[in-house]
Amino acid sequence: MKEVIIALITGFIVGLVFAGFKLPIPAPPAFAGVAGIIGIYLGFKVMAWAGPMFAEFFK
């Protein structure tokens, strides 16, 4: 949980800096982009969990 809070604070600070310099945001500007990133993360975690089961199944 500590990592999540640090990442959120760091992202907030980076967002402030980019807004202060009037630069485009360094992340997807729409919720769909954020949802895509979450989907990639969840897919990675599911494959890490289910991957060994697939390997045993296809032996």
Side-chain angles (χ1 to χ4, degrees):
M1 186 66 180
K2 183 179 176 181
E3 291 174 344
V4 173
I5 293 170
I6 291 172
L8 183 62
I9 292 169
T10 302
F12 184 78
I13 292 169
V14 169
L16 288 175
V17 170
F18 272 71
F21 286 107
K22 295 184 178 20
L23 297 171
I25 189 169
F31 182 70
V34 175
I37 292 169
I38 293 169
I40 291 169
Y41 175 78
L42 291 175
F44 180 84
K45 287 299 189 177
V46 166
M47 193 58 182
W49 172 75
M53 289 187 283
F54 288 132
E56 288 293 322
F57 181 74
F58 290 111
K59 274 190 174 179

